[in-house]
Amino acid sequence: EMAVIGFYALGDSATSSWTNLFGQPFPEHAAGNTDIVDEIAAGWYAIDEAGNLLTRSRTGWQLPEGWDSVLATAEQYELGTEMVVHEVNWDGMLDKLLADEAAVAQMVHQITLEAVQYYSGVNLDLEGLGLNAAADQLMQIQGNFTKMATLLAESLHDEGLGLTLTLHAPNSAYKGYDYKALGQVADRIIIMAYDYGPKPEPTTSVVQAVEQALQHVAPEKLVLGISLPSENPASILTKVGIAKRYRLQGIALWRLGLVQEEVWQALRTTIK
């Protein structure tokens, strides 16, 4: 048995996170697939270069209408909720943000303020750091990210909330994340062990990502990220098997709304 996190993000009528999870069209609900999912990661927030929290992003992440109903219904089915803050390092935007102490302070303050009102924790998903960076640059990028994560974790812990970091896999092209330092700072890390090219994601690459992460982070702090568009029911079982074999805390599914019925049934055979 393991923890299952479902990313809950804005879809459409065909890929509705709500319907996929609760088995009914919004706002109706039933137990649906809540027997499999333990927690939702609400992909509704972004951040700007000055550290301001945004409820609408350049990449389509936004706070949906009826978002408070999602949180209330999740609570009814005893599902945890974390707010996801997502941003991509387009034009070096995150590099600039993380190097600016005032912007980082603003970011930490605004995220904590929102989280403490509505959520049980924060899931920080800042992507694209460290691509093609020289060695000295890379040290700086990693250091800035770790410093920010440390400040955010301290701020959240003061309020009794947790911090999850969703990170590129250590064997990805993005090297801007110091797994060893971050493993000590965060409550858990989701490894995005996907986007390797072939589909389903190659087992050897996923195993390598997990083994490299385990060199620096305790297994009970690690969660294996699975990208549903890359997988089928059989390959999902293989990925869950990897998480089990290495005794990870669990898996994270990108995303609710994309989980086919056959995949739910496959998960039922292995998780509960």
Side-chain angles (χ1 to χ4, degrees), residues 103-163:
V104 167
Q106 171 76 342
M107 171 185 168
V108 168
H109 174 67
Q110 291 208 358
I111 290 173
T112 305
L113 212 57
E114 182 79 359
V116 80
Q117 290 184 78
Y118 304 112
Y119 301 93
S120 54
V122 170
N123 182 323
L124 195 65
D125 181 9
L126 303 188
E127 299 184 20
L129 293 178
L131 183 66
N132 300 327
D136 55 339
Q137 266 185 304
L138 201 55
M139 292 284 288
Q140 191 67 51
I141 291 165
Q142 287 185 353
N144 287 344
F145 186 87
T146 299
K147 190 173 178 185
M148 174 278 300
T150 304
L151 292 170
L152 182 57
E154 287 170 352
S155 178
L156 293 172
H157 291 161
D158 284 347
E159 300 291 349
L161 303 178
L163 175 63

Side-chain angles (χ1 to χ4, degrees), residues 47-52 91-94 96-98 100 103:
I47 205 91
D48 71 11
E49 203 175 299
N52 298 305
D91 305 322
M93 175 272 198
L94 289 175
K96 298 186 190 98
L97 164 64
L98 296 172
D100 182 337

Side-chain angles (χ1 to χ4, degrees), residues 5-24:
I5 301 164
F7 278 88
Y8 188 112
L10 201 63
D12 50 38
S13 58
T15 66
S16 161
S17 289
W18 176 281
T19 303
N20 202 200
L21 181 59
F22 297 118
Q24 303 282 335

Side-chain angles (χ1 to χ4, degrees), residues 47-235:
I47 205 91
D48 71 11
E49 203 175 299
N52 298 305
L53 189 65
L54 308 176
T55 54
R56 181 181 289 269
S57 78
R58 302 171 296 175
T59 50
W61 293 53
Q62 66 186 64
L63 200 65
E65 280 185 49
W67 63 275
D68 46 348
S69 300
V70 178
L71 298 181
T73 308
E75 186 176 358
Q76 194 174 324
Y77 290 97
E78 299 183 345
L79 305 179
T81 55
E82 285 194 328
M83 64 179 277
V84 181
V85 183
H86 173 264
E87 194 51 77
V88 179
N89 195 27
W90 286 343
D91 305 322
M93 175 272 198
L94 289 175
D95 295 331
K96 298 186 190 98
L97 164 64
L98 296 172
D100 182 337
E101 284 189 15
V104 167
Q106 171 76 342
M107 171 185 168
V108 168
H109 174 67
Q110 291 208 358
I111 290 173
T112 305
L113 212 57
E114 182 79 359
V116 80
Q117 290 184 78
Y118 304 112
Y119 301 93
S120 54
V122 170
N123 182 323
L124 195 65
D125 181 9
L126 303 188
E127 299 184 20
L129 293 178
L131 183 66
N132 300 327
D136 55 339
Q137 266 185 304
L138 201 55
M139 292 284 288
Q140 191 67 51
I141 291 165
Q142 287 185 353
N144 287 344
F145 186 87
T146 299
K147 190 173 178 185
M148 174 278 300
T150 304
L151 292 170
L152 182 57
E154 287 170 352
S155 178
L156 293 172
H157 291 161
D158 284 347
E159 300 291 349
L161 303 178
L163 175 63
T164 299
L165 297 176
T166 297
L167 303 180
H168 290 287
N171 60 349
S172 78
Y174 301 99
K175 304 296 186 188
Y177 310 88
D178 180 345
Y179 263 75
K180 185 174 184 180
L182 296 171
Q184 294 168 350
V185 168
D187 296 286
R188 65 182 171 192
I189 290 174
I190 297 174
I191 311 165
M192 293 193 289
Y194 42 81
D195 294 336
Y196 292 109
K199 295 183 180 182
E201 299 292 339
T203 304
T204 49
S205 300
V206 175
V207 167
Q208 183 185 56
V210 169
E211 288 182 344
Q212 288 183 8
L214 282 168
Q215 290 172 14
H216 305 296
V217 185
E220 60 272 15
K221 274 194 170 189
L222 290 173
V223 174
L224 181 62
I226 298 173
S227 177
L228 290 161
S230 299
E231 307 293 348
N232 58 51
S235 69

